Amino acid sequence: MESNETMKVTPWEVSGRIDYEKLVKDFGTSVISNQLLKRIEKKTGELHFMLRRGLFFSHRDLDWALDKLDKGEKFVLYTGRGPSGDTHLGHLMPWVFTKWLQDKFDTELYFQITDDEKFLFKDGLELNETNRLAYENALDVIALGFDPKKTFMFVDTDYSGTLYPEAIKVAKRLTFSTAKAVFGFQNESNVGEIFFTSMQSVPAFLPSILKKKNVPVLIPHAIDQDPHFRITRDIIPKLGYYKPASIHCTFMPGLKGVDSKMSASIPDSAIFTTDPPEIARRKIMKAFSGGADTLEEHRKHGGNPDVDIACIYLKTLFEPDDKKLAYIISGFRSGSLTSGDVKGILADKVEKFLKGHQKAREAAKKKLDKFFLHDVPKRK
Amino acid sequence: MESNETMKVTPWEVSGRIDYEKLVKDFGTSVISNQLLKRIEKKTGELHFMLRRGLFFSHRDLDWALDKLDKGEKFVLYTGRGPSGDTHLGHLMPWVFTKWLQDKFDTELYFQITDDEKFLFKDGLELNETNRLAYENALDVIALGFDPKKTFMFVDTDYSGTLYPEAIKVAKRLTFSTAKAVFGFQNESNVGEIFFTSMQSVPAFLPSILKKKNVPVLIPHAIDQDPHFRITRDIIPKLGYYKPASIHCTFMPGLKGVDSKMSASIPDSAIFTTDPPEIARRKIMKAFSGGADTLEEHRKHGGNPDVDIACIYLKTLFEPDDKKLAYIISGFRSGSLTSGDVKGILADKVEKFLKGHQKAREAAKKKLDKFFLHDVPKRK
């Protein structure tokens, strides 16, 4: 893939080589400063490797959320998933980090699964399919070990009795021209797409409704979702709620190369959580390599870990130990470790992870009720 | 009010002298022919005075609904109310007719109360207020005597767990440009307004969902709502449902004159169902009169019953007997009955109606549960 491909980052399309510095500028977010990192570390005792490595790199009002915490107003977490297909490793990255936040700050998580969104935005995808996928994806979330006492999940169309009446309060304050400017809607856009961001706004103040007091909310998410929350931040203070804070991560590239994405529609681009471990290993072995063309050349000149998918996956998800990671990266760079070596290291880790995850995922099928919010019928 | 004021008829604004023939042409509906009236009469034994007098004057596919009935597929009824204020006499007109249809065809009625719509379309009106008004208005519907076994009412935001997942199926097939062309949305329109018609479409196929088979639906409504159902008719066949049929009525003018409307925001323009009977009488006595300027002139030249509000109210709602009505109208036209006489006849009838209605309305407060559909929580 050409690295000069034009970057495109919207909540529904990410393509091209991503320039994260440019995104921070374009979106108007802030880079996470060293000072802010130190402030987090003081509270958590240690920094998650995704913070140390700049994988979570940008934020809005994270300092404010910590100020609130200092004043005794603990933030809750909100993140989510658009269920357009099976869960792959790229999806796990922000969830793993979110679980760390939940553990370290001992706080609640609201997890929205937007089956309505994926139905509305994808031709040929039916609602019963996105709803089915919602609960499939939920198994992966639960399998990561979130605390059922502090984790509240909901699927939009199964919780719309609660969400819709709140969403229209956002919708009333959002003009078509603003939605168009932020998301690039056209005359051909359907009216559900135009409305949808209102639904994604709700969990930013749902905790305040449920607790009957204002609750700060911190949203960990991949940066492509920022346009939604820019709107949320503009509107919900008018409803009397706090602007949500957010913390943004990069994208995990697909197996085909750093400019590609993991996609359910591109075979071999992604490792799915339900892939048999040996299939995952085979996919890794075929992944894009930053190694030299021949083994001889690689031993002599080394490889480029910055574009090597195995190195990147170790960095983003599978090797939390900085020293071990540095050893692998520098070995690959120097040529002492071959592409096959690094892929082997990753494959071992992924296989091991998948075996455990798939067991936990199976067990999660019996735990769904512990995690899910449903509408309670209103009686007049 | 000037009779040459430009006519405007949208679901959210009706103003000017209404030219119903032009509306039929503009909207593309059909006038109810004598042949069709005869066909109805054959089934019902008698024609409701609103049909005899052309108050229900237009339709879409009413003949098809009767064909279906002949083939053993009984239609159900669907109508509704946008709860922006208290119920007035103008609202009762289509409901009285709908009750007649329910009785004569022994069929179910689905009654939607769109608290979301009125919240979204009216500045300064809050959702808790439109929701409160929804149940206030519902009392008037119930007071008219609908059969609780065959009448299913619902308020949008209290039934959105059922409605929203269906509404997005309509929304996915409705582009912004179509919604704009039909309703005249602007860049300043809010995204909830743009989405809303999807919610109003749902009851046209909700009976089919609830009964798990295709059910013909007939919608009695004032003609200003036709744009919604034009969209519904375009889209829901793509979802596998029948196009709904509809039958349209004229508007009951306000007390200020034939070109005015009953409006909660214009004092003395409307008689509310909760007005004390003596207040209603006083309002009628001040209503616009088609009588001559002086009693002497009136006795000599007579009055114009076509613009006389008392005559019109007798015709549209309070004097079902054609002979009695003809006697009053011709008496007023000739001058043998004065404006005061006719107003007195109307006031007696309205007072009597209100006394009975208000009693029934009070009793309805205990019957709400018998009429209302609520969401049942889904369990996975």
Side-chain angles (χ1 to χ4, degrees):
Chain A
M1 200 164 282
E2 296 298 311
S3 64
N4 58 0
E5 196 190 327
T6 317
M7 170 175 83
K8 186 161 183 187
V9 177
T10 78
W12 305 288
E13 190 184 351
V14 175
S15 60
R17 169 75 56 99
I18 309 300
D19 180 341
Y20 290 105
E21 268 181 53
K22 186 169 185 302
L23 277 185
V24 165
K25 258 191 213 160
D26 289 355
F27 284 3
T29 65
S30 306
V31 167
I32 300 174
S33 67
N34 285 330
Q35 198 186 353
L36 189 50
L37 284 178
K38 274 181 195 141
R39 194 172 169 198
I40 298 168
E41 191 173 13
K42 231 175 130 180
K43 294 188 186 297
T44 56
E46 50 156 13
L47 284 180
H48 192 272
F49 72 87
M50 292 185 195
L51 283 170
R52 294 198 308 266
R53 295 175 190 169
L55 299 166
F56 271 83
F57 70 104
S58 159
H59 76 103
R60 289 184 188 272
D61 280 348
L62 178 55
D63 36 2
W64 167 84
L66 296 176
D67 290 348
K68 282 286 174 190
L69 182 66
D70 288 342
K71 289 176 194 151
E73 283 189 72
K74 194 191 279 185
F75 57 80
V76 303
L77 302 166
Y78 154 33
T79 194
R81 158 81 181 135
S84 55
D86 291 328
T87 307
H88 57 56
L89 298 182
H91 302 127
L92 299 184
M93 197 181 136
W95 302 348
V96 164
F97 182 71
T98 300
K99 174 164 168 16
W100 180 82
L101 288 174
Q102 177 175 78
D103 291 344
K104 291 293 176 185
F105 290 96
D106 183 31
T107 192
E108 290 181 355
L109 164 65
Y110 292 78
F111 196 103
Q112 179 180 42
I113 312 185
T114 56
D115 61 341
D116 51 348
E117 176 196 18
K118 291 303 167 181
F119 165 67
L120 287 164
F121 281 86
K122 291 228 168 187
D123 283 346
L125 198 55
E126 290 305 319
L127 185 57
N128 55 10
E129 178 62 4
T130 60
N131 188 266
R132 185 190 69 77
L133 286 166
Y135 290 94
E136 282 296 319
N137 295 168
L139 297 175
D140 292 299
V141 177
I142 294 169
L144 292 178
F146 287 97
D147 183 345
K149 287 195 196 70
K150 290 184 294 194
T151 303
F152 307 97
M153 305 180 74
F154 44 95
V155 176
D156 278 2
T157 67
D158 294 332
Y159 199 48
S160 52
T162 296
L163 299 177
Y164 176 78
E166 300 301 332
I168 59 175
K169 294 177 188 167
V170 176
K172 187 173 182 177
R173 286 159 180 87
L174 175 60
T175 62
F176 176 69
S177 58
T178 298
K180 186 180 175 173
V182 172
F183 298 110
F185 291 128
Q186 303 295 322
N187 276 336
E188 300 72 49
S189 299
N190 74 57
V191 300
E193 290 174 311
I194 293 166
F195 176 74
F196 170 72
T197 192
S198 314
M199 292 291 280
Q200 190 153 330
S201 278
V202 177
F205 58 98
L206 182 67
S208 297
I209 294 169
L210 296 177
K211 291 174 195 301
K212 297 185 170 70
K213 64 171 184 180
N214 251 345
V215 180
V217 170
L218 172 63
I219 316 176
H221 64 83
I223 190 142
D224 59 323
Q225 297 295 309
D226 181 68
H228 284 301
F229 301 121
R230 228 179 296 156
I231 284 178
T232 306
R233 286 168 53 87
D234 276 355
I235 291 176
I236 73 172
K238 296 174 194 162
L239 300 174
Y241 304 112
Y242 293 136
K243 287 184 186 196
S246 52
I247 180 165
H248 315 128
C249 66
T250 58
F251 312 109
M252 202 167 157
L255 292 162
K256 303 275 185 188
V258 284
D259 296 340
S260 76
K261 52 176 282 195
M262 291 209 187
S263 168
S265 56
I266 304 168
D268 290 346
S269 73
I271 294 167
F272 295 96
T273 59
T274 48
D275 277 346
E278 64 277 13
I279 296 287
R281 173 175 291 271
R282 219 175 300 160
K283 285 182 177 178
I284 289 167
M285 289 309 178
K286 290 194 288 180
F288 184 85
S289 161
D293 285 348
T294 66
L295 183 62
E296 206 174 5
E297 271 184 66
H298 187 80
R299 289 290 186 203
K300 202 166 160 187
H301 303 295
N304 179 2
D306 297 339
V307 299
D308 185 84
I309 291 300
C311 287
I312 291 168
Y313 282 19
L314 286 165
K315 178 183 170 190
T316 49
L317 205 52
F318 288 99
E319 185 46 82
D321 187 314
D322 286 352
K323 279 186 190 162
K324 288 183 186 168
L325 182 70
Y327 169 82
I328 296 165
I329 300 276
S330 65
F332 184 73
R333 199 187 300 279
S334 71
S336 66
L337 289 176
T338 65
S339 180
D341 293 337
V342 178
K343 284 179 172 176
I345 294 168
L346 175 67
D348 287 349
K349 287 180 178 285
V350 170
E351 270 201 45
K352 193 180 162 194
F353 166 77
L354 285 180
K355 278 176 193 162
H357 184 79
Q358 287 168 6
K359 216 168 155 180
R361 197 179 181 282
E362 197 56 35
K365 290 179 181 171
K366 287 183 187 141
K367 296 182 194 164
L368 283 168
D369 272 355
K370 287 185 189 160
F371 284 88
F372 272 86
L373 293 172
H374 294 272
D375 288 321
V376 175
K378 286 193 195 178
R379 305 303 293 183
K380 289 279 162 182
Chain B
M1 198 164 284
E2 296 298 313
S3 63
N4 58 1
E5 196 190 325
T6 317
M7 170 175 82
K8 186 163 184 186
V9 177
T10 79
W12 305 288
E13 191 185 350
V14 175
S15 61
R17 170 75 57 100
I18 310 300
D19 179 341
Y20 291 104
E21 267 180 54
K22 186 169 185 302
L23 277 186
V24 165
K25 258 191 213 161
D26 289 355
F27 285 2
T29 65
S30 306
V31 167
I32 299 174
S33 66
N34 285 329
Q35 198 187 353
L36 189 50
L37 284 178
K38 272 180 198 143
R39 194 172 168 197
I40 298 168
E41 191 173 13
K42 230 175 130 180
K43 293 186 186 300
T44 56
E46 50 156 13
L47 283 181
H48 192 271
F49 72 85
M50 291 185 195
L51 283 171
R52 293 196 310 265
R53 296 174 191 169
L55 299 165
F56 272 83
F57 69 105
S58 157
H59 77 104
R60 289 184 188 271
D61 280 349
L62 178 54
D63 35 4
W64 167 85
L66 296 176
D67 290 347
K68 282 286 175 189
L69 182 66
D70 288 342
K71 288 177 194 153
E73 282 188 71
K74 194 192 278 187
F75 57 81
V76 302
L77 303 166
Y78 154 33
T79 194
R81 159 80 180 135
S84 56
D86 291 329
T87 308
H88 57 56
L89 297 183
H91 301 128
L92 299 184
M93 195 182 138
W95 303 347
V96 164
F97 182 69
T98 300
K99 175 166 167 15
W100 180 81
L101 287 174
Q102 177 177 78
D103 292 345
K104 289 294 175 184
F105 290 96
D106 183 31
T107 191
E108 290 181 356
L109 164 66
Y110 292 79
F111 196 102
Q112 179 180 41
I113 313 186
T114 56
D115 61 342
D116 51 348
E117 175 195 18
K118 291 302 167 182
F119 165 67
L120 287 165
F121 281 87
K122 291 228 171 187
D123 282 347
L125 198 54
E126 290 305 318
L127 186 57
N128 54 11
E129 178 62 5
T130 60
N131 188 266
R132 185 190 69 77
L133 286 166
Y135 290 94
E136 282 296 318
N137 295 167
L139 297 176
D140 292 299
V141 177
I142 294 169
L144 292 179
F146 286 97
D147 183 344
K149 287 194 196 71
K150 289 184 294 192
T151 304
F152 306 97
M153 305 180 75
F154 45 95
V155 176
D156 278 1
T157 69
D158 294 333
Y159 199 49
S160 51
T162 296
L163 299 178
Y164 176 77
E166 300 302 331
I168 58 175
K169 294 177 189 168
V170 176
K172 187 172 183 177
R173 286 160 180 87
L174 176 59
T175 63
F176 175 69
S177 58
T178 298
K180 185 178 174 173
V182 172
F183 297 111
F185 291 128
Q186 303 293 322
N187 276 336
E188 302 73 48
S189 299
N190 74 57
V191 301
E193 291 174 310
I194 293 166
F195 175 74
F196 170 73
T197 193
S198 314
M199 293 290 280
Q200 190 152 331
S201 277
V202 177
F205 57 98
L206 182 66
S208 296
I209 294 169
L210 297 177
K211 290 174 196 302
K212 297 184 171 70
K213 64 171 184 180
N214 252 345
V215 180
V217 170
L218 172 64
I219 316 175
H221 64 84
I223 191 145
D224 59 324
Q225 298 295 310
D226 180 69
H228 284 301
F229 301 121
R230 230 180 295 157
I231 284 179
T232 306
R233 286 167 53 87
D234 276 354
I235 291 177
I236 73 171
K238 295 174 194 163
L239 299 174
Y241 304 111
Y242 294 136
K243 288 185 185 198
S246 51
I247 180 166
H248 315 129
C249 67
T250 59
F251 311 109
M252 202 166 154
L255 291 162
K256 302 275 185 187
V258 283
D259 296 339
S260 76
K261 53 176 280 194
M262 291 209 187
S263 168
S265 55
I266 305 167
D268 290 346
S269 72
I271 294 168
F272 295 96
T273 58
T274 49
D275 277 346
E278 64 277 14
I279 296 288
R281 173 176 292 272
R282 220 175 300 157
K283 285 182 177 178
I284 289 166
M285 289 310 179
K286 289 194 290 179
F288 184 86
S289 162
D293 285 348
T294 66
L295 184 61
E296 205 175 6
E297 272 184 65
H298 187 81
R299 288 290 186 205
K300 202 163 159 190
H301 302 294
N304 178 3
D306 297 337
V307 300
D308 184 84
I309 291 300
C311 287
I312 291 168
Y313 283 19
L314 286 165
K315 178 184 170 190
T316 49
L317 205 54
F318 289 99
E319 185 46 83
D321 186 314
D322 286 352
K323 278 186 189 161
K324 288 183 185 168
L325 182 70
Y327 169 81
I328 296 165
I329 299 276
S330 65
F332 184 73
R333 199 188 301 277
S334 72
S336 67
L337 289 176
T338 67
S339 181
D341 293 336
V342 178
K343 284 178 172 177
I345 293 169
L346 175 67
D348 287 348
K349 287 180 177 285
V350 170
E351 270 201 45
K352 192 179 163 196
F353 165 78
L354 285 180
K355 278 176 191 162
H357 184 79
Q358 287 167 8
K359 216 169 156 180
R361 198 178 180 283
E362 198 55 37
K365 289 179 183 173
K366 287 182 187 144
K367 296 183 195 164
L368 283 168
D369 271 355
K370 286 185 191 163
F371 284 88
F372 272 86
L373 293 173
H374 294 271
D375 287 319
V376 175
K378 285 192 197 179
R379 305 303 294 182
K380 288 280 162 182

